[in-house]
Amino acid sequence: MFTEKIVSRQLFYLFFMMRVTIIISVLPVLTAGQARQDAWIAALISFFPAAAIVLIIGALTLVFPGKSLIQISEELLGKLPGLLLSVIYLAIFLFMAGTDLRIYAEVLKASFLPETPISVVMSLVVFTVVLAIYGGIEVLGRSADIIFPIFLLMLLGTFSPSLTHANFQNLQPVIAHGWSPLSLAILAPASIAAQYANLTMLAPALDQPQKGLKAALWSLLAATLVLVAFALAVVLVLGPDTGARSTFPVFRMIRATRISEFLERVEILTIFAWGLGLFVALSVNLYSGSKGLSQVFGLHDNRPLVLPMAVIWVVFAIQGYQDYFEVAQVFDPAFFDVIFIPTLLFPPLVLWVAYLYKKLRERKKQEIGGRK
Amino acid sequence: MKMLLYFFLTLSSLASWKKKKRPDCSKGKDHGPPVDYRDISEREAAFKKTPLVASLEANLRKITELTGSSYDLNIRRCLAGPEKVHAAVVFLDGLVNKESIDDLLRIVNLETFKTGIEGVEQKEIYDTVKRRLITTDLREAENMEDLYDGISLGDTVLIFDGTARAILCETRGWNLRAINEPEAETVIRGPREGFIESLRVNTSLIRRRIRSPNLWLESVNIGSLSKTEVVIAYIKGLAGEGLLGELRSRLERIQIDGVLESGLIEEFIRDAPYSLFPTVLRTERPDIVASSLLEGRIAIFTNGTPFVLLVPGEFAMFLQAPDDYNEVFPIGSFIRTLRIFSFLMSIFLPGLYVAILNYHPELLPTVLILTVQATREGVPFPVAAEVVIMELAFEILREAGLRLPRAIGPAISIVGALILGEAAIRAGLVSPGVVIIVALTAIASFSTPVFSLSISARMLRFLIVILGATFGFLGIQVGFLLMLVHLLSLRSFGYPFMAPYGPFIWGDMKDNIIRNLWWKMVKRPRLLGYREPQRQPAGQGPRLPGSDIKPKSNKSEGR
């Protein structure tokens, strides 16, 4: 069997599209917290806590190159405790993918397909994702290669027309109420960096696993810049109040955009770009989830697990939330920062502690050995 | 009375002897061999084992037994040398050049009687004749299999009494079609030569283009009964050895009775047999084959067909035409980009139309959507059904146009295009918008240079229409992603099918969406030409007369 490999460029594309998709659609810098017209500053600062999360998770791939988190935890903690830790981690993939899927389905339902049952829409999307994962991580990497330029073009196509409606008065005053209102707005996009949990599963598939972290950090930076741009654009076009009150501020902004008779309603471009990004996000999560599960069970191949997992995902995405408002509460700091982020960081932190403890013991042993 | 009957019988058998030129060993007694109940595989097996023997009569009997004294089998008996050694010349009429046979007989009959020639005794005459023969290609056969192989290729066999071997002289000569421009692959600028049905001529067309001794041609015979000659052509040292080995093993694996077209070989060696997309390129143009060989690909020639296969196939190849390279850079790039665009259009346009009209009418300007809706007034079908019906009608028209005798072709196009389209609109069965869309799509699909790709686009189109009709833009997007994922998971002989796009290879983009200047295409395609990436020295751009200083524009060369 040949080994499937991707390169760090493809990893960069994957993470960039994943992050931009979610972060742009909900725009939590504006909707969560009280940042208002200073959302773009919050977006800029959010890079640092997000980078910290990425580092905590991703640095493991430097210490154990070529190993996934599941394998690392088994190595450091032993069979059973490692397995328990892995299950927590795998649940995160399920949670993220289910939430992403539900948000996307809700947007489609709200804007284009009010009559179509949400389960059908979800199944259709997940079906393509399943096929991609059957193709393997290589197919995923290559589709990132092709989708990325399309994605970028569509972002530009939605972003640039909005500038014609910009009202720079909306940005004033800058940081009028001090830094404290910004704190929540900073934490929300930072915690979406949970997506980088996928790094521990994707890095082993890289041809040079130690380059994964670098690519991930670069993608974080690029996505932050896009976030800053869109936060600015929304505030400039809609104003801080309308922007903060709408569920999908970017769509709202694009709907307000109109250049000529022919160029109104460009939000279809955003939906399309978002669909592409979501495809990537779901595929990566499904890959990580199924790969992780197959490693837990000691299977050689993750493909047999893909279809059953996908079905469970659709069920979770439908049953997990009553309606969109419940989905939106996921981004509520009370849940996201208090429950989700600690859960996410628990496994890598445990692993770090275990690793350092092991290192220390080894050093002591060596010292003892040296004395003898 | 009885005498008279006997006389007639003898006469008729004599007549038949003359007509069929059967060996006189039969003495006119038996009419053909006794009824033979062996089946084809037994016959083939028996034939393979049979060696030649030292007796001429026995050998000839075996030949007639083998071929059932077919009417085109010619056996000319003659005597050679002063010892009058019995000899025979055997060939299949229609496959040989009569003049070379005359030459052959002259040598055997006359030369051996000349005085002062040594070695004309029965034991040596075989070698003497062999030495004196002046045909281009000479081989020897020691068993019936080799012997018949030669005869069926148009060789002439010389058998001497007393020698258990036979000489095979190359006397091929049959009528060939003239080398014409292939009708399915025409160019505006470029060579007008196309392959024909003869393998030798086809390979010679390549030889004439690439005169390096490193152009290697390997031959295999495929087909237990047809024994079709299949030739692998490649440039030794440029084509990957792994790829060659894989191709050879795939060809050797084929076990079939007859290969009548290269399409059969294509299906045997393809990677994804159920895929809509062709992963092996076929062409009738020697210039395409030559340029692919220079990139490190391998060509597969099949005897009896003008279609040559090229492996590994890449998606981008299917959208390239020789014109791109022969026209100057801006024109070549423009037409190629146009072609890629129209390929996408030929897949997605009807689906988009259906999706927009059904789900997203707000995307169109109000005036336009009102116009379109007004023309749909009174049309009894939903848009999707309308589109599918018209597309189907067009596909039938296209297929019928292909099969029709050339003289009726224009009539059909008048009936199809004018009467059917016009009357359908007048009758209010379809709206003009749909006819415009179908016509646009049809024109777009004909701009794809390779038929096998345009037909797969046509089939996908129906899927996209259905997806667009049920899910709107989401369906189109899902269709796009499905197609993308499928294309990306395809491999042709281990090489990624979508190569320069995904995996993305920046160095190869010079020859994909656009066609860069020739002197800027310094490197070979990265995956194929890895053995020697440099194709030509960098910096060959235009210079000022008499100056050796490079102009500024090619400083970026050689990256």
Side-chain angles (χ1 to χ4, degrees), chain A residues 4-223:
Chain A
E4 300 165 67
K5 291 282 172 202
I6 57 173
V7 292
S8 54
R9 180 195 67 231
Q10 291 168 339
L11 192 80
F12 170 85
Y13 291 164
L14 287 173
F15 276 125
F16 175 81
M17 285 190 281
M18 261 170 87
R19 185 162 171 79
V20 166
T21 305
I22 294 304
I23 223 163
I24 288 294
S25 60
V26 199
L27 213 67
V29 272
L30 197 63
T31 49
Q34 299 295 319
R36 291 171 53 88
Q37 70 270 25
D38 297 329
W40 64 278
I41 300 176
L44 208 58
I45 298 173
S46 76
F47 173 73
F48 299 102
I53 293 178
V54 175
L55 276 173
I56 291 174
I57 302 171
L60 278 173
T61 62
L62 292 185
V63 182
F64 300 93
K67 280 191 175 159
S68 74
L69 188 120
I70 314 296
Q71 289 162 326
I72 298 171
S73 58
E74 202 180 301
E75 188 183 315
L76 283 178
L77 305 174
K79 195 92 187 166
L80 195 69
L83 197 140
L84 284 176
L85 206 65
S86 309
V87 169
I88 299 177
Y89 213 62
L90 291 174
I92 291 171
F93 294 129
L94 169 68
F95 169 75
M96 286 193 298
T99 311
D100 286 359
L101 187 60
R102 181 62 184 248
I103 294 174
Y104 183 57
E106 287 290 346
V107 175
L108 284 172
K109 193 179 169 67
S111 49
F112 292 118
L113 300 164
E115 310 270 315
T116 316
I118 203 165
S119 55
V120 177
V121 174
M122 286 179 179
S123 309
L124 194 69
V125 175
V126 167
F127 177 63
T128 51
V129 172
V130 167
L131 281 190
I133 301 304
Y134 271 130
I137 184 74
E138 260 181 3
V139 170
L140 205 56
R142 289 175 193 168
S143 48
D145 267 344
I146 293 187
I147 292 174
F148 180 71
I150 305 173
F151 186 77
L152 218 54
L153 272 180
M154 301 224 162
L155 279 190
L156 268 179
T158 53
F159 175 74
S160 35
S162 67
L163 290 182
T164 54
H165 296 255
N167 177 11
F168 284 87
Q169 302 273 301
N170 285 342
L171 279 181
Q172 290 168 342
V174 180
I175 321 196
H177 304 285
W179 293 94
S180 53
L182 291 187
S183 55
L184 275 180
I186 292 169
L187 278 180
S191 45
I192 295 180
Q195 288 167 322
Y196 285 87
N198 285 302
L199 181 61
T200 55
M201 305 305 299
L202 289 180
L206 281 173
D207 60 342
Q208 290 161 308
Q210 58 275 17
K211 278 194 175 173
L213 184 61
K214 204 174 138 192
L217 284 173
W218 275 111
S219 73
L220 185 68
L221 184 63

Side-chain angles (χ1 to χ4, degrees), chain B residues 176-187:
Chain B
L176 292 174
R177 183 161 69 90
I179 296 177
N180 284 326
E181 184 172 23
E183 277 178 21
E185 291 172 82
T186 47
V187 291

Side-chain angles (χ1 to χ4, degrees), chain B residues 118-183:
Chain B
E118 286 172 20
V120 285
E121 294 77 41
Q122 184 172 12
K123 279 181 188 169
E124 292 166 18
I125 187 128
Y126 177 87
D127 293 315
T128 313
V129 171
K130 202 178 118 190
R131 242 181 289 120
R132 298 205 145 240
L133 281 176
I134 45 167
T135 54
T136 46
D137 188 10
L138 207 89
R139 280 171 300 143
E140 278 183 88
E142 293 192 347
N143 56 38
M144 293 302 279
E145 193 184 1
D146 292 347
L147 189 140
Y148 194 77
D149 255 9
I151 298 182
S152 61
L153 281 175
D155 287 354
T156 299
V157 177
L158 265 176
I159 314 174
F160 291 93
D161 202 20
T163 315
R165 279 176 297 171
I167 305 175
L168 291 174
C169 312
E170 211 262 40
T171 51
R172 283 166 214 188
W174 54 76
N175 290 331
L176 292 174
R177 183 161 69 90
I179 296 177
N180 284 326
E181 184 172 23
E183 277 178 21

Side-chain angles (χ1 to χ4, degrees), chain B residues 188-233:
Chain B
I188 293 182
R189 180 173 172 181
R192 304 267 180 227
E193 278 179 335
F195 290 124
I196 59 168
E197 282 74 8
S198 158
L199 184 70
R200 280 283 165 100
V201 175
N202 291 352
T203 51
S204 76
L205 287 174
I206 296 304
R207 278 269 184 225
R208 266 184 251 160
R209 280 174 171 76
I210 302 172
R211 283 177 47 211
S212 163
N214 286 316
L215 170 63
W216 282 23
L217 301 170
E218 267 175 38
S219 154
V220 253
N221 283 343
I222 301 179
S224 60
L225 295 183
S226 75
K227 299 205 174 56
T228 313
E229 274 185 298
V230 174
V231 165
I232 311 173

Side-chain angles (χ1 to χ4, degrees), chain A residues 2 9-10 13 104 108 112-113 116 120-121 124-125 127-128 131-132 135 138-139 142-143 145-147 150 261-262 264-265 268 271-276 279, chain B residues 359-360 362-368 467 470-482 484-486 488-491 496-498 501-505:
Chain A
F2 66 100
R9 180 195 67 231
Q10 291 168 339
Y13 291 164
Y104 183 57
L108 284 172
F112 292 118
L113 300 164
T116 316
V120 177
V121 174
L124 194 69
V125 175
F127 177 63
T128 51
L131 281 190
E138 260 181 3
V139 170
R142 289 175 193 168
S143 48
D145 267 344
I146 293 187
I147 292 174
I150 305 173
E261 186 75 346
F262 219 81
E264 49 186 346
R265 301 265 170 187
I268 193 71
I271 297 265
F272 199 81
W274 196 18
L276 294 177
F279 164 76
Chain B
Y359 290 88
H360 321 280
E362 74 275 3
L363 279 178
L364 296 179
T366 324
V367 185
L368 182 59
L467 277 172
T470 40
F471 295 103
F473 265 20
L474 174 71
I476 306 262
Q477 182 170 32
V478 164
F480 170 73
L481 283 173
L482 282 177
L484 195 68
V485 164
H486 171 69
L488 285 168
S489 56
L490 281 182
R491 278 170 173 277
F497 186 58
M498 290 290 277
Y501 306 115
F504 185 80
I505 300 166

